[in-house]
Every structure is written in structure tokens, then in C-alpha cells.
């Protein structure tokens, strides 16, 4: 028996479980909404925190949100 991470039922490249919790993939939602890099990463990290990296992903989302807030403030 191999210890490869690719031997189970999860397709880690094309359809990872942490991006497929609902009826639409997170990447499809981000593209449909024409989000930029910062916005997309916020959505990505918030949507997967329960099934992947927990609080670490929420902190990453906060980092991108703070960066987005700074960017928007500078444009106003």
C-alpha cells in the first residue's frame, strides 16, 4: 500500500474538498463576480477555514482584507 496523498478519493488538484462545500466551487464564484486578487483571496480563505486550516485561514483572510481596506482608502 502506498502512502501517497493522492491515493484517497479526494482530487487535491482539480477538486479539493475544502473548495467544494456547497453547490458552487469558490473559484467559480470568484470569477463570476469578477473579483480582484485581494477580494478573491478573502473569499477563498473564509470559505475554507472550517475544512482546512482553521484560524490560520481566518487570519490570512484578515490580512488580505486589511490590505484591501488600505487600497480602497488610498483611492478615496
Amino acid at each position: 500500500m502506498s502512502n501517497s496523498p493522492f491515493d484517497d478519493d479526494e482530487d487535491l488538484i482539480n477538486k479539493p474538498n475544502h473548495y467544494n462545500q456547497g453547490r458552487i466551487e469558490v473559484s467559480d464564484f470568484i470569477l463570476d463576480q469578477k473579483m480582484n486578487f485581494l477580494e478573491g483571496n478573502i473569499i477563498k480563505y473564509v470559505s475554507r477555514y472550517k475544512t482546512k486550516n482553521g484560524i490560520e485561514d481566518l487570519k490570512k483572510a484578515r490580512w488580505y482584507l486589511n490590505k484591501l481596506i488600505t487600497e480602497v482608502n488610498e483611492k478615496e
Side-chain angles (χ1 to χ4, degrees), residues 14-16 19-30:
N14 297 304
K15 202 165 179 71
Y19 287 144
N20 296 286
Q21 299 303 309
R23 289 178 272 170
I24 183 171
E25 278 197 47
V26 174
S27 60
D28 291 334
F29 176 77
I30 291 168

Side-chain angles (χ1 to χ4, degrees), residues 32-45:
D32 179 70
Q33 297 300 305
K34 297 176 178 46
M35 293 183 177
N36 68 29
F37 180 78
L38 297 175
E39 296 163 337
N41 275 330
I42 294 162
I43 298 301
K44 174 183 76 173
Y45 286 118

